[in-house]
Amino acid sequence: WLVIDRKVYDLSKFSKRHPGGSRVISHYAGQDATDAFVAFHSDKALVKKYLKALLIGELAPNQPSFESNKKKALLEDFRELRCSVEKMGLLSPNFSFFFLIFLHLLVLDAASWLVVWYFGISLVPFLLGMALFTTAQIQMGWFQHDLGHCSVFRRPKWNRVMQIVVISVLKGLPASWWNHLHNQHHAKPNCFRKDPDLNMHPLLFSLGKTLSVEV
């Protein structure tokens, strides 16, 4: 069960069919997921149609709709900031920008192979080709990141298709794997045992008082 806009939903069965993965929802079990719901779903009217069948009640009038470990004033400031950002159009994609990003990463990737093919594999051409290829791969990673967030095209379908082209065809990684981990990261950023980006401790790093104590 979780709370969205003070309404309580039972997502026990639906979580297994959730497009964003079951773990994203399970991380909010017994909690208020309003802000995460708003952040993850661009077409809220469509999603709320599915929520109607899962509604089981509402919070009592005296029951706060936020976690006890969160500050109400901070949540309200964040929501006000998000509304301002949306009204200013800062979340609207610039198609010319993304087209140039895609074009230049293709050029860099092709150039890396052409340098080695034309000049051979001596040290200088190899290092130049490696630099071009590495830069292209990094740019592909960030471009597919925006596609994975459905931030480039208006329709999620086209974002997904293009993400598969970039991360799977050009980089050789499964898009489903990246989405599964990254959705959890944004659902519970920097929350130990819920954010997969923190699962690399203690071999690589441990930052902050809480994480250090846990390690």
Side-chain angles (χ1 to χ4, degrees), residues 3-5 11 36 38 46 49 56 84 100 106 129 135 138-140 144 200:
V3 177
I4 300 174
D5 290 329
L11 305 179
V38 172
L46 174 64
K49 292 181 180 179
I56 57 175
S84 299
L100 291 175
L106 289 179
T135 305
I138 293 172
Q139 291 297 314
M140 289 176 194
Q144 74 82 29
M200 45 183 96

Side-chain angles (χ1 to χ4, degrees), residues 24-129:
V24 177
I25 290 182
S26 65
H27 288 335
Y28 275 95
Q31 300 178 15
D32 187 294
T34 302
D35 294 296
F37 174 81
V38 172
F40 273 87
H41 303 94
S42 56
D43 191 348
K44 298 171 188 60
L46 174 64
V47 180
K48 286 183 177 179
K49 292 181 180 179
Y50 292 92
L51 285 177
K52 288 182 179 180
L54 306 173
L55 180 65
I56 57 175
E58 294 188 26
L59 293 179
N62 61 342
Q63 176 69 32
S65 59
F66 57 92
E67 299 304 298
S68 58
N69 62 340
K70 295 180 180 179
K71 296 181 179 180
K72 183 179 180 180
L74 186 62
L75 284 174
E76 292 175 348
D77 286 347
F78 172 78
R79 291 170 182 174
E80 183 179 348
L81 174 63
R82 180 181 177 86
C83 290
S84 299
V85 167
E86 290 178 341
K87 290 178 180 178
M88 294 171 67
L90 299 180
L91 299 182
S92 301
N94 185 321
F95 295 107
S96 298
F97 170 79
F98 283 114
F99 174 76
L100 291 175
I101 287 291
F102 184 58
L103 183 63
H104 103 277
L105 64 85
L106 289 179
V107 171
L108 287 172
D109 192 56
S112 66
W113 294 102
L114 287 174
V115 166
V116 175
W117 173 76
Y118 187 80
F119 294 103
I121 55 174
S122 56
L123 182 60
V124 174
F126 178 77
L127 291 177
L128 177 58

Side-chain angles (χ1 to χ4, degrees), residues 178-192:
W178 185 89
N179 289 329
H180 174 68
L181 295 179
H182 201 66
N183 284 342
Q184 293 181 71
H185 162 68
H186 278 290
K188 287 288 184 177
N190 297 328
C191 289
F192 191 48

